[in-house]
Amino acid sequence: MEAKSGLLEMIARRGRRGSVIVPFFVMLVLSILLMVPAMAWATSTSSTDEVEFVRLLNQYREANGAGPLLISDTLSLAAYKHNRDMATYKFFSHTTAKSSYFPVGSQPWDRMRAVGYDYNTTMAENLAGGYPTAAEAFKAWKNSAGHNRNMLDPVFKVIGVSRHFAADTAYGYFWTTDFGAFIDPSAHGTSTGPAPAYTTITGTDRYATAILISQKAYPKGAPAVFVVKGDNFPDALAAAPLATAYGGPVILTPSTGLTQAVKDELRRLNPYKVFYIGLPAKFEAELQALLPKATIKTVRGKDRYETATLLADELENKLGRIDKVVIAPGDKFPDALSVAPLAASKGWAIMLAPASGPLPEVTSAKIKELGIGSALVVGSYVKPPATVKEVLYKVGKDRYHTSAQIAVYAKSQGLSFTHVALATGENYPDALVVGPYLVPLKGILLLTQPTGLPTYINDQLMANRDGIEKLDFVGLPGGVTGQTKILLQ
């Protein structure tokens, strides 16, 4: 067998000197490149081997704390054209020696810009020759320090990948991967299955959105309904587990009273029990008149913390036992909302505390009274009472990071990305009513910015996209829904 040898070349960032190594049997070439600036777009099609390479790389990045990469069709076109040139004109280099597409002397960033990836961003390129499969190319680059740095660099968000075979060449197989730090319009995920079923649930206001969710979840009515204040969040933060236990929706109403739309929905649901949570007593008679056959149960503590403990009492009465308490901040809303589907699905009581602590005495006393020995604390490092022997904290860098951490934990507890809901993390009403709605399919709620997917949420969707069958956009504008659909296609 004829031996093949070649050059391993590194051009380092910011002018560092490169290194040269001569390997045996196969050729590898590396280049790490710099900043550039603008925009255009072309399309390409990724083969099974190319998609498999990106899957392997994304698994590797996830294991090393780097976010997954989208496939940029634009960068893939640059990679494909460079592979074709190297095979046709018998050269192997980051510098274009001869070309059907690019000026002689073009560097990787020149080729990327030429096909339309023209942005002021960091770029890089890996080349390999002689590896037939994605696994072999991935392993070779992984075992080369410079190539490996490119593959794990968290600055990169997209990758273009091309595998090209030319029988009349020394190496046979050519691989080019081009990396970019800007997500361009041609970027998409690696899913080869059908896209999820997308549903937009957005009413004219928060009250209408809650009604739409109620109608989707309970088209034939519900045995119980939970009426909560829609113009302030604290009293409703702990309602999802109890609503799930009774099999009913959470309905929002203004604190000034029941709107006509809310009255119409309550009549349609025709519940036998209504929980009236944290609202002024003066409206209870109106509610009773509306539903004369229903039992009205008022849950109203001295403050948000006591209200949550009263809801925990009701949950224990319904379930007979509570195995775990979830402690979430009661002076902010995102973390309690993120954990609500998990708590609701598992029958765990949600109790509240100030984010900076300490645990309110009423909360501590209730945890002891209920004999709860296990706690999940989200968005805070508040300490449960000493009687709680098992404590797990989920506290991220911000509300979106915490939401992502909760999602990962929820998956480990039997919940699934089969059904996902996205709702804004900048306001509370839409996410407030989603918890019970997600429970039938053990679904997961992710909070997002209305202007676009935060990195942590983007990463969770990418990591689980092949399992997502149903995705609801709750009260979100078109921009973030469009971004998500591109990500999952």
Side-chain angles (χ1 to χ4, degrees):
M1 178 178 175
E2 179 183 354
K4 303 170 187 173
S5 63
L7 178 68
L8 176 62
E9 171 188 298
M10 184 188 304
I11 303 172
R13 253 183 252 240
R14 298 184 186 88
R16 272 192 301 140
R17 294 179 60 85
S19 62
V20 177
I21 303 173
V22 181
F24 190 64
F25 282 113
V26 289
M27 177 186 286
L28 293 165
V29 182
L30 165 69
S31 181
I32 307 176
L33 300 172
L34 301 165
M35 302 293 216
V36 236
M39 177 170 175
W41 179 24
T43 59
S44 177
T45 302
S46 299
S47 71
T48 301
D49 295 289
E50 292 160 352
V51 171
E52 176 60 20
F53 173 82
V54 179
R55 288 181 185 275
L56 289 171
L57 176 54
N58 280 342
Q59 290 172 5
Y60 183 46
R61 285 173 66 89
E62 183 179 7
N64 286 273
L69 300 173
L70 293 173
I71 297 175
S72 164
D73 286 342
T74 304
L75 289 181
S76 293
L77 184 60
Y80 167 75
K81 288 183 173 182
H82 189 53
N83 271 348
R84 286 291 301 267
D85 281 343
M86 291 192 294
T88 300
Y89 299 108
K90 307 298 189 293
F91 71 93
F92 195 88
S93 171
H94 291 290
T95 302
T96 299
K98 192 173 181 181
S99 177
S100 302
Y101 310 103
F102 307 109
V104 172
S106 292
Q107 296 299 310
W109 54 87
D110 300 320
R111 295 189 291 269
M112 296 182 211
R113 285 189 297 189
V115 299
Y117 192 82
D118 194 4
Y119 303 96
N120 182 26
T121 190
T122 304
M123 303 174 182
E125 181 174 90
N126 284 355
L127 302 181
Y131 300 101
T133 69
E136 290 172 300
F138 171 73
K139 182 178 179 181
W141 279 329
K142 179 180 175 182
N143 291 334
S144 170
H147 297 80
N148 191 58
R149 276 197 301 275
N150 273 349
M151 293 201 300
L152 290 180
D153 195 332
V155 74
F156 294 127
K157 304 300 180 186
V158 293
I159 185 173
V161 57
S162 171
R163 170 188 177 270
H164 181 69
F165 176 70
D168 60 342
T169 62
Y171 300 102
Y173 293 90
F174 294 81
W175 285 86
T176 296
T177 52
D178 288 333
F179 300 86
F182 179 80
I183 299 176
D184 66 293
S186 74
H188 58 84
T190 61
S191 177
T192 55
Y198 298 112
T199 304
T200 298
I201 308 175
T202 303
T204 53
D205 57 24
R206 63 189 64 186
Y207 307 107
T209 297
I211 289 171
L212 288 175
I213 290 176
S214 172
Q215 291 170 346
K216 283 186 67 66
Y218 304 96
K220 297 181 180 180
V225 176
F226 294 75
V227 182
V228 304
K229 193 183 302 181
D231 43 20
N232 204 358
F233 63 85
D235 295 325
L237 288 180
L242 187 61
T244 297
Y246 274 92
V250 175
I251 297 291
L252 303 181
T253 189
S255 56
T256 53
L258 304 177
T259 66
Q260 187 58 51
V262 169
K263 292 177 182 178
D264 291 343
E265 179 61 10
L266 290 173
R267 288 194 190 98
R268 186 194 70 81
L269 290 165
N270 193 29
Y272 69 80
K273 191 161 189 173
V274 178
F275 285 86
Y276 194 68
I277 303 172
L279 286 156
K282 61 182 179 179
F283 303 118
E284 293 174 26
E286 180 184 12
L287 188 60
Q288 188 68 76
L290 182 71
L291 299 168
K293 296 182 180 180
T295 300
I296 311 297
K297 175 67 176 181
T298 300
V299 182
R300 187 188 304 112
K302 296 176 182 177
D303 57 23
R304 63 194 70 184
Y305 306 109
E306 186 178 45
T307 297
T309 66
L310 295 176
L311 289 169
D313 278 333
E314 294 291 338
L315 184 64
E316 188 200 32
N317 290 339
K318 180 64 175 176
L319 299 180
R321 177 176 174 79
I322 299 173
D323 295 322
K324 187 187 288 283
V325 63
V326 176
I327 300 174
D331 45 5
K332 58 179 184 174
F333 58 84
D335 306 319
L337 299 181
S338 290
V339 81
L342 172 61
S345 179
K346 305 293 282 187
W348 298 342
I350 297 176
M351 296 195 207
L352 306 177
S356 58
L359 193 69
E361 180 54 37
V362 66
T363 308
S364 180
K366 183 57 62 177
I367 292 171
K368 294 174 185 177
E369 178 188 328
L370 295 175
I372 301 173
S374 178
L376 170 64
V377 185
V378 299
S380 171
Y381 287 105
V382 65
K383 292 183 179 180
T387 53
V388 177
K389 302 301 182 184
E390 179 185 276
V391 184
L392 177 65
Y393 290 91
K394 294 295 177 184
V395 185
K397 298 175 182 177
D398 58 25
R399 63 191 63 188
Y400 304 107
H401 192 204
T402 300
S403 182
Q405 287 189 359
I406 291 170
V408 172
Y409 178 66
K411 186 177 179 181
S412 76
Q413 296 298 303
L415 271 64
S416 169
F417 276 83
T418 300
H419 186 188
V420 175
L422 280 173
T424 178
E426 302 299 312
N427 208 346
Y428 58 87
D430 298 329
L432 199 61
V433 298
V434 169
Y437 165 70
L438 288 169
V439 170
L441 290 179
K442 296 187 180 296
I444 287 172
L445 170 65
L446 294 173
L447 300 184
T448 181
Q449 294 167 324
T451 54
L453 293 172
T455 298
Y456 307 110
I457 302 305
N458 181 95
D459 292 352
Q460 283 305 305
L461 289 171
M462 284 195 65
N464 294 280
R465 63 182 168 273
D466 288 338
I468 299 174
E469 297 178 5
K470 178 178 173 60
L471 197 152
D472 296 314
F473 302 104
V474 183
L476 290 171
V480 70
T481 62
Q483 180 187 350
T484 305
K485 290 177 181 179
I486 290 171
L487 183 74
L488 298 177
Q489 69 184 21

